[in-house]
Short mmCIF file of all heavy atoms in Angstrom, two decimals:
data_model
loop_
_atom_site.label_atom_id
_atom_site.label_comp_id
_atom_site.label_asym_id
_atom_site.label_seq_id
_atom_site.Cartn_x
_atom_site.Cartn_y
_atom_site.Cartn_z
N PHE U 60 -4.06 -27.77 28.12
CA PHE U 60 -2.65 -27.55 27.83
C PHE U 60 -1.74 -27.95 28.98
O PHE U 60 -0.53 -27.98 28.85
CB PHE U 60 -2.40 -26.08 27.48
CG PHE U 60 -3.01 -25.70 26.18
CD1 PHE U 60 -4.29 -25.17 26.15
CD2 PHE U 60 -2.35 -25.90 25.00
CE1 PHE U 60 -4.88 -24.83 24.96
CE2 PHE U 60 -2.93 -25.56 23.79
CZ PHE U 60 -4.21 -25.03 23.77
N THR U 61 -2.34 -28.20 30.16
CA THR U 61 -1.52 -28.61 31.29
C THR U 61 -1.98 -29.98 31.73
O THR U 61 -3.08 -30.41 31.44
CB THR U 61 -1.70 -27.64 32.47
OG1 THR U 61 -3.08 -27.60 32.81
CG2 THR U 61 -1.22 -26.26 32.12
N ARG U 62 -1.13 -30.67 32.44
CA ARG U 62 -1.55 -31.93 33.02
C ARG U 62 -0.88 -32.07 34.38
O ARG U 62 0.13 -31.41 34.66
CB ARG U 62 -1.20 -33.11 32.12
CG ARG U 62 0.28 -33.31 31.99
CD ARG U 62 0.61 -34.38 31.00
NE ARG U 62 2.06 -34.47 30.95
CZ ARG U 62 2.74 -35.59 31.14
NH1 ARG U 62 2.11 -36.70 31.39
NH2 ARG U 62 4.04 -35.59 31.07
N ASN U 63 -1.49 -32.88 35.21
CA ASN U 63 -0.92 -33.09 36.53
C ASN U 63 -0.04 -34.31 36.47
O ASN U 63 -0.45 -35.36 35.99
CB ASN U 63 -2.03 -33.28 37.55
CG ASN U 63 -2.82 -32.00 37.72
OD1 ASN U 63 -2.28 -30.98 38.13
ND2 ASN U 63 -4.09 -32.05 37.36
N VAL U 64 1.19 -34.14 36.94
CA VAL U 64 2.09 -35.28 36.94
C VAL U 64 2.45 -35.63 38.36
O VAL U 64 2.59 -34.75 39.21
CB VAL U 64 3.38 -35.00 36.13
CG1 VAL U 64 3.07 -34.97 34.66
CG2 VAL U 64 4.03 -33.70 36.57
N VAL U 65 2.57 -36.91 38.59
CA VAL U 65 3.04 -37.37 39.88
C VAL U 65 4.55 -37.53 39.74
O VAL U 65 5.02 -38.31 38.92
CB VAL U 65 2.38 -38.71 40.26
CG1 VAL U 65 2.91 -39.20 41.60
CG2 VAL U 65 0.88 -38.55 40.28
N GLN U 66 5.27 -36.72 40.53
CA GLN U 66 6.73 -36.67 40.35
C GLN U 66 7.39 -37.25 41.59
O GLN U 66 7.25 -36.71 42.69
CB GLN U 66 7.12 -35.20 40.18
CG GLN U 66 8.35 -34.98 39.34
CD GLN U 66 8.62 -33.50 39.21
OE1 GLN U 66 8.73 -32.80 40.20
NE2 GLN U 66 8.72 -33.03 37.98
N ILE U 67 8.05 -38.32 41.41
CA ILE U 67 8.59 -39.04 42.58
C ILE U 67 9.98 -39.59 42.30
O ILE U 67 10.25 -40.10 41.20
CB ILE U 67 7.63 -40.18 43.00
CG1 ILE U 67 6.52 -39.59 43.85
CG2 ILE U 67 8.35 -41.31 43.74
CD1 ILE U 67 5.36 -40.50 44.03
N ASP U 68 10.88 -39.44 43.30
CA ASP U 68 12.20 -40.08 43.20
C ASP U 68 12.06 -41.52 43.67
O ASP U 68 11.82 -41.78 44.84
CB ASP U 68 13.21 -39.33 44.07
CG ASP U 68 13.54 -37.98 43.50
OD1 ASP U 68 13.76 -37.90 42.26
OD2 ASP U 68 13.53 -36.99 44.26
N PHE U 69 12.20 -42.45 42.77
CA PHE U 69 11.92 -43.86 43.05
C PHE U 69 13.22 -44.66 43.03
O PHE U 69 14.08 -44.42 42.19
CB PHE U 69 10.94 -44.37 41.99
CG PHE U 69 10.53 -45.80 42.16
CD1 PHE U 69 9.96 -46.24 43.35
CD2 PHE U 69 10.71 -46.72 41.13
CE1 PHE U 69 9.56 -47.55 43.50
CE2 PHE U 69 10.32 -48.04 41.28
CZ PHE U 69 9.75 -48.46 42.47
N ILE U 70 13.31 -45.55 43.97
CA ILE U 70 14.48 -46.44 43.98
C ILE U 70 14.01 -47.88 43.85
O ILE U 70 13.16 -48.32 44.62
CB ILE U 70 15.32 -46.30 45.27
CG1 ILE U 70 15.77 -44.85 45.46
CG2 ILE U 70 16.54 -47.23 45.22
CD1 ILE U 70 16.42 -44.58 46.79
N LEU U 71 14.51 -48.59 42.89
CA LEU U 71 14.21 -50.02 42.74
C LEU U 71 15.52 -50.78 42.87
O LEU U 71 16.48 -50.48 42.17
CB LEU U 71 13.57 -50.28 41.37
CG LEU U 71 13.01 -51.69 41.17
CD1 LEU U 71 11.71 -51.84 41.96
CD2 LEU U 71 12.75 -51.97 39.70
#
Side-chain angles (χ1 to χ4, degrees):
Chain U
F60 292 92
T61 57
R62 66 186 179 125
N63 293 298
V64 288
V65 179
Q66 209 178 55
I67 278 165
D68 289 316
F69 181 56
I70 303 172
L71 189 74

